[in-house]
């Protein structure tokens, strides 16, 4: 499905959706009007710090009408979030942010869908849970070599055993052990791109991931395309391959990003007929981001992801 094949229906010009109440989500609204939509956020089901319920409450307080919970490699928070969203008269679109690898780079793919997660998605999530476990064992072994003894146990303490282990759990363990002063330094020295704890080999390939999403009836979206440190040429290659493999969308705006780069990204997406999504990538309060905080959306002909035929029912208020 090519985004440019669907005609974007225009919203009623008399009802500006920007200053309306949260109950006014209009599927006809354009990207530029999407002041209360956020389709990329995390909860305590992965490395966010708010419970799914508390996250929905915050979204509601901030005037969002429509949200997607996209925890890393798990949908454990989706049901609770959907329940709370219904109580607050908001729409919660089920989603997940999937870890994949492509040409040696860890690429994140957001999947969005309607209704319960289908078997191929559940199978992929099981595989990712195993991958996260195996990766954690490998990261622990590597961090023990640089002085963090009992690294796996220490990371588990940080996660309280309640979620799949991620690099932030190891980062916190490094801080707690006094090896680094803060999380930023933990990533800079040990866990960030190219460092000893940056282990990607366990992730399913981009191709396998896109196949599972399609079989599950979901829509695949490249998460934060500008945050992989790719050259413009390689980003183009990624988007080409993603599209050829059946991927259908990409995040035009992820949190704060440079306006010139947003404009350029819009043209990269348009050229490939990709639908445009928007999300803050919110993890916790006290940082620069909050639910719904996004840089300006550039003018473009891009079709918003909420107008994707398979997602229209997901965006309808239940
Ligand atoms: P993982 O999914 O286990 O590979 O962990 C990646 C997560 O670590 C990202 O989704 C971010 O939430 C977090 N992260 C990445 N870089 C940093 C950083 N420099 N400081 C703090 N958190 C980070
Ligand atoms: Mn994260
Ligand atoms: Mn990500
Ligand atoms: Mn994210």
């Amino acid at each position: 499905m090519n985004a440019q094949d669907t005609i974007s229906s225009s919203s009623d010009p008399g009802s500006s959706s920007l200053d309306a109440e949260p109950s006014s989500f209009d599927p006809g609204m354009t990207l530029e009007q999407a002041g209360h939509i956020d389709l990329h956020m995390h909860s305590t089901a992965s490395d966010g710090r708010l419970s799914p319920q508390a996250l929905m409450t915050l979204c509601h307080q901030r005037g969002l009408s429509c949200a997607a919970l996209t925890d890393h490699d798990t949908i454990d928070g989706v049901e609770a979030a959907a329940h709370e969203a219904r109580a607050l008269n908001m729409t919660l679109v089920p989603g997940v942010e999937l870890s994949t690898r492509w040409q040696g780079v860890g690429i994140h793919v957001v999947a969005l869908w309607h209704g319960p997660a289908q078997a191929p998605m559940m199978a992929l999530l099981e595989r990712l849970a195993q991958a996260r476990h195996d990766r954690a064992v490998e990261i622990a072994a590597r961090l023990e070599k640089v002085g963090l003894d009992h690294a796996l146990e220490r990371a588990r303490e940080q996660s309280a055993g309640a979620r799949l282990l991620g690099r932030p759990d190891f980062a916190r363990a490094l801080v707690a052990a006094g090896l680094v002063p803060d999380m930023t330094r933990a990533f800079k020295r040990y866990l960030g791109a190219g460092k000893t704890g940056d282990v990607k080999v366990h992730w399913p390939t981009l191709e396998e991931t896109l196949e599972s999403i399609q079989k599950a009836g979901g829509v695949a979206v490249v998460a934060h395309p500008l945050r992989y440190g790719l050259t413009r040429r390689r980003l183009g290659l990624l988007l080409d391959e993603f599209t050829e493999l059946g991927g259908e969308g990409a995040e035009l705006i992820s949190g704060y990003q440079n306006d010139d780069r947003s404009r350029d990204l819009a043209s990269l997406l348009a050229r490939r007929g990709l639908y445009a999504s928007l999300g803050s990538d919110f993890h916790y309060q006290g940082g620069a981001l909050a639910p719904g905080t996004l840089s300006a959306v550039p003018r473009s002909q891009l079709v918003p992801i909420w107008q994707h035929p398979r997602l229209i029912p997901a965006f309808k208020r239940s």
Side-chain angles (χ1 to χ4, degrees), residues 11-64:
S11 57
D12 174 5
S15 65
S16 163
S17 46
L18 278 171
D19 51 7
E21 282 299 297
S23 57
S24 70
F25 176 74
D26 167 7
M29 95 171 78
T30 64
L31 284 163
E32 293 93 324
Q33 293 171 316
H36 32 93
I37 297 179
D38 191 330
L39 302 177
H40 187 145
M41 287 182 281
H42 296 268
S43 76
T44 47
S46 66
D47 59 1
R49 294 201 200 144
L50 293 179
S51 68
Q53 292 90 339
L55 176 64
M56 289 305 110
T57 305
L58 179 61
C59 287
H60 185 256
Q61 284 167 357
R62 292 185 51 81
L64 298 199

Side-chain angles (χ1 to χ4, degrees), residues 72 97 108 224 281:
H72 296 286
E97 181 176 15
H108 287 174
H224 43 70
D281 206 0

Side-chain angles (χ1 to χ4, degrees), residues 111-190:
L112 302 171
W113 61 88
H114 170 58
Q118 303 293 304
M121 178 57 69
M122 297 313 292
L124 178 63
L125 295 177
E126 265 175 48
R127 182 148 175 232
L128 280 159
Q130 185 65 45
R132 271 201 180 262
H133 174 267
D134 297 346
R135 183 185 74 141
V137 170
E138 175 69 28
I139 293 175
R142 292 179 180 206
L143 292 183
E144 290 193 2
K145 284 192 191 136
V146 296
L148 186 71
D149 59 353
H150 305 291
L152 195 59
E153 290 76 7
R154 288 175 189 267
R156 282 211 183 101
E157 256 167 49
Q158 296 299 325
S159 78
R163 55 171 184 266
L164 302 172
L165 288 179
R167 281 183 285 166
D169 297 308
F170 286 98
R172 271 191 288 273
L174 286 163
V175 176
L179 273 96
V180 285
D182 53 42
M183 297 275 288
T184 306
R185 241 71 65 92
F187 273 90
K188 209 165 179 179
R189 286 180 61 181
Y190 298 112

Side-chain angles (χ1 to χ4, degrees), residues 83-99:
H83 191 264
E84 189 65 20
R86 261 194 303 278
L88 295 167
N89 197 28
M90 288 166 49
T91 301
L92 188 279
V93 178
V96 63
E97 181 176 15
L98 300 160
S99 307

